[in-house]
């Protein structure tokens, strides 16, 4: 196997509780309750992201998993003009085994950010991106359905400028 290795640089004074400066906060949060009995299945939490829709392409972000499940807080580069509605339709069709509404929305297969953030944990991360459209996504499977969270609607389109 050829593992991808990246350098992690920890900064600040030892024992310091003061956060380093950051540009914006990105949260993974419980988003809404599912449709319950009306949908013919048990209630379970649907997750989402809270983030500015425009972010600096070279920035420092306070990334918080404000929920009780593990989540990725990552960005995936999307084709220009990709919308949350398109992703929702694309994933619904995929899960239903129906024809997809169009081509894949992705420009690259990899993600950028924090994978597998434990519940109620956070990190301050500095990242650099090419300018363009990105989907904030989580590919961790739901503990209830086993379906990756992003396929169940946990995505948020942002533009890096």
């Amino acid at each position: 196997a050829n593992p991808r290795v990246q350098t992690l640089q920890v900064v600040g004074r030892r024992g310091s509780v003061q956060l380093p400066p950051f540009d914006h906060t990105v949260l993974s949060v419980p988003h809404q309750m599912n449709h319950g009995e009306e949908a013919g299945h048990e209630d379970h939490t649907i997750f989402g992201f809270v983030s500015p829709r425009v972010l600096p392409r070279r920035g420092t972000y306070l990334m918080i998993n404000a929920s009780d499940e593990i989540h990725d807080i990552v960005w995936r580069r999307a084709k220009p003009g990709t919308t949350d509605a398109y992703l929702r339709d694309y994933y619904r069709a995929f899960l239903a085994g129906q024809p997809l509404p169009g081509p894949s929305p992705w420009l690259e297969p990899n993600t950028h950010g924090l994978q597998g953030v434990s519940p109620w944990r956070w990190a301050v991360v500095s990242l650099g991106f090419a300018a363009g459209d990105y989907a904030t996504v989580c590919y961790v499977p739901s503990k209830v359905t086993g379906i990756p969270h992003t396929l169940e609607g946990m995505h948020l389109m942002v533009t890096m400028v």
Side-chain angles (χ1 to χ4, degrees):
N2 294 319
R4 287 186 0 198
V5 178
Q6 295 197 0
T7 302
L8 173 66
Q9 180 181 3
V10 178
V11 296
R13 296 185 313 269
R14 185 174 185 198
S16 172
V17 294
Q18 183 177 358
L19 288 175
F22 55 89
D23 299 306
H24 294 285
T25 302
V26 179
L27 298 156
S28 63
V29 296
H31 191 59
Q32 65 188 39
M33 293 306 287
N34 208 359
H35 312 292
E37 295 176 16
E38 297 168 12
H41 52 74
E42 296 179 30
D43 282 347
H44 69 277
T45 304
I46 302 297
F47 297 98
F49 292 102
V50 176
S51 169
R53 291 295 188 130
V54 178
L55 295 167
R57 65 184 197 88
R58 300 215 180 281
T60 300
Y61 307 97
L62 171 60
M63 300 165 80
I64 303 170
N65 180 359
S67 74
D68 63 355
E69 283 197 39
I70 295 172
H71 290 295
D72 296 332
I73 306 174
V74 296
W75 291 280
R76 189 167 181 190
R77 192 162 185 206
K79 292 178 181 172
T82 300
T83 64
D84 281 303
Y86 183 80
L87 289 177
R88 191 170 35 256
D89 292 345
Y90 188 87
Y91 286 136
R92 281 183 184 158
F94 176 81
L95 289 173
Q98 298 172 344
L100 299 176
S104 168
W106 309 120
L107 282 178
E108 57 186 31
N110 54 319
T111 60
H112 312 273
L114 293 175
Q115 294 177 326
V117 181
S118 295
W120 311 112
R121 300 292 184 216
W122 56 270
V124 177
V125 179
S126 294
L127 297 166
F129 298 91
D133 294 331
Y134 289 79
T136 315
V137 294
C138 172
Y139 287 109
V140 173
S142 165
K143 66 182 179 184
V144 174
T145 66
I147 296 170
H149 289 134
T150 200
L151 274 68
E152 292 186 326
M154 188 174 184
H155 48 77
L156 181 70
M157 290 303 302
V158 299
T159 301
M160 302 289 182
V161 294

